[in-house]
Amino acid sequence: MLSEGIHSIVDTGNGAMLLVGMKLSQRQATTEHPFGHGKELYFWSLMVAVIIFGLGGGISAYGGVLHILNPAPLRDPAWNYVVLCAAMVFEGASFAIALRHFWNTKGDTPFWQSLGRSKDPTTVSVLAEDAAALAGLAVAATGI
């Protein structure tokens, strides 16, 4: 459950970083940046990926190793399921919103082809992260 709490904090930070990237990429061109700041969105998406895998994955792996080395018996899994269900609702809502946005912008192009050709790193990042989070929550619920 500690990993889920850490994931939620990292996920919130990532959403904020993507919003910052979207806002900064819309700035007008200057003499220092004559072509504008549009590519800044890709930088912030990269930072989100580094944080997801580095911080979120590293802390979760560390917690997993600690629990393998010092296992504790599971006493009452009810709160674990409550937390996992709440996380599934929030991640599912985020995934559904991103999927609906992607679906509306892809046009007639097949889903996987459009996903591979997408120029919007924020939507692709949110879709991939939320899909992985939902899969991880299913694995965690199965493990409990």
Side-chain angles (χ1 to χ4, degrees), residues 21-143:
M22 290 170 63
K23 186 69 174 171
L24 292 177
S25 69
Q26 296 172 353
R27 292 183 295 173
Q28 297 297 320
T30 63
T31 55
E32 190 174 312
H33 296 89
F35 298 110
H37 296 269
K39 301 290 184 186
E40 194 154 350
L41 185 57
Y42 295 98
F43 168 77
W44 287 101
S45 297
L46 173 66
M47 292 297 99
V48 164
V50 168
I51 289 174
I52 286 173
F53 291 110
L55 185 63
I59 292 174
S60 294
Y62 176 73
V65 169
L66 286 181
H67 285 290
I68 289 171
L69 295 176
N70 301 311
L74 182 62
R75 295 195 177 116
D76 183 20
W79 282 110
N80 292 348
Y81 286 120
V82 168
V83 170
L84 290 175
C85 286
M88 283 183 189
V89 168
F90 295 129
E91 290 288 347
S94 175
F95 181 77
I97 291 167
L99 184 63
R100 183 178 39 185
H101 174 73
F102 180 75
W103 200 264
N104 290 337
T105 59
K106 77 173 189 63
D108 293 333
T109 310
F111 179 82
W112 292 108
Q113 187 178 16
S114 180
L115 190 63
R117 292 182 180 171
S118 177
K119 300 289 184 198
D120 182 9
T122 55
T123 304
V124 174
S125 297
V126 171
L127 279 174
E129 192 277 330
D130 287 342
L134 287 169
L137 289 168
V139 169
T142 303

